[in-house]
Amino acid sequence: MSSPSQGDPDDGPAQDTVGNFVPDRDDSLRETLGDSPAECVASAGAEVRDVDPEDSPVKPWQKPTGGELVVEFETGRLSERYTRLVTEAATIWSESPCIEAVTARSCTGGANCVAIVEDGSRSRGTDGEMRWDDNGAYMESATITLYTQPLDRASDNGALATIVHEMGHTLGLDHRLERSDVMNSVTGDNTNPVPDAIDFANLVAIYGT
């Protein structure tokens, strides 16, 4: 399936080849960044907002003092399509002033490492999931599993939304209540894969100095 492209403004919203709505990611990202903190500096008493109280919270990584948090996403076991989408998702999350999300075929020694694997088996009703190990206070490593039975049938927009969602969990974000947001517990072909300003503000609340 071809990558989404911006539609003619006179023709209504852009659509992919099967008629799904495709949000313009450049416009969405400009809007998000326009409403987001420009620096990774949290105000006194800053807390995450719009978090689903029924979600099981994930741990944050330990951020170096005075530095940006770097998280590596391992793509060496992925096919070309999912490598491309993971790279795009990492670029989106790296727009946060608190995060540098990078892709590598194999994580470097000592890195904050997230392995990403494909699984073609039955997925128990989900197209992706994240599991992590922690030391009590902080995340130490994580694995994202992409279930290719449903994802291979999804549009690139829908598959990207799934990947951005799972990557958001590996960065310390929980599910959101806002139904249209990519961090809501349900995503699909029509989900905008670009996080909104609250997602980026939540990263500042978690990692801001």
Side-chain angles (χ1 to χ4, degrees):
M1 198 168 290
S2 62
S3 297
S5 58
Q6 185 173 5
D8 186 318
D10 294 329
D11 293 337
Q15 296 184 342
D16 64 16
T17 56
V18 293
N20 293 309
F21 166 72
V22 177
D24 184 276
R25 294 202 276 280
D26 289 339
D27 283 349
S28 295
L29 193 54
R30 279 192 293 270
E31 181 177 347
T32 290
L33 295 177
D35 294 333
S36 300
E39 298 179 320
C40 191
V41 178
S43 58
E47 296 182 348
V48 294
R49 294 184 285 155
D50 190 46
V51 173
D52 186 344
E54 297 183 2
D55 191 21
S56 299
V58 297
K59 303 284 187 179
W61 299 92
Q62 187 169 11
K63 181 174 176 285
T65 302
E68 194 174 39
L69 174 68
V70 179
V71 181
E72 293 187 11
F73 292 88
E74 198 171 69
T75 61
R77 288 174 279 183
L78 299 180
S79 60
E80 186 278 334
R81 182 196 189 206
Y82 296 112
T83 297
R84 172 172 53 83
L85 293 174
V86 166
T87 300
E88 184 170 358
T91 299
I92 290 171
W93 280 119
S94 292
E95 292 290 345
S96 163
C98 299
I99 301 294
E100 183 180 356
V102 298
T103 58
R105 286 193 57 81
S106 180
C107 288
T108 56
N112 298 320
C113 181
V114 179
I116 309 179
V117 298
E118 297 178 32
D119 188 329
S121 63
R122 297 181 65 85
S123 60
R124 303 189 308 279
T126 185
D127 51 10
E129 66 181 0
M130 188 275 284
R131 297 182 182 276
W132 75 95
D133 294 315
D134 62 74
N135 61 13
Y138 297 105
M139 191 178 300
E140 291 192 318
S141 64
T143 300
I144 293 173
T145 302
L146 302 176
Y147 290 105
T148 55
Q149 280 197 18
L151 283 177
D152 284 351
R153 297 191 298 269
S155 67
D156 274 4
N157 188 81
L160 179 61
T162 295
I163 292 167
V164 169
H165 176 100
E166 299 303 337
M167 287 174 69
H169 287 320
T170 69
L171 298 175
L173 295 177
D174 299 321
H175 283 143
R176 290 271 307 281
L177 291 172
E178 172 55 56
R179 293 177 65 104
S180 65
D181 186 67
V182 71
M183 291 309 300
N184 186 267
S185 60
V186 178
T187 62
D189 280 344
N190 294 336
T191 300
N192 188 339
V194 176
D196 69 10
I198 291 178
D199 293 318
F200 278 37
N202 284 347
L203 287 173
V204 172
I206 294 168
Y207 294 112
T209 55

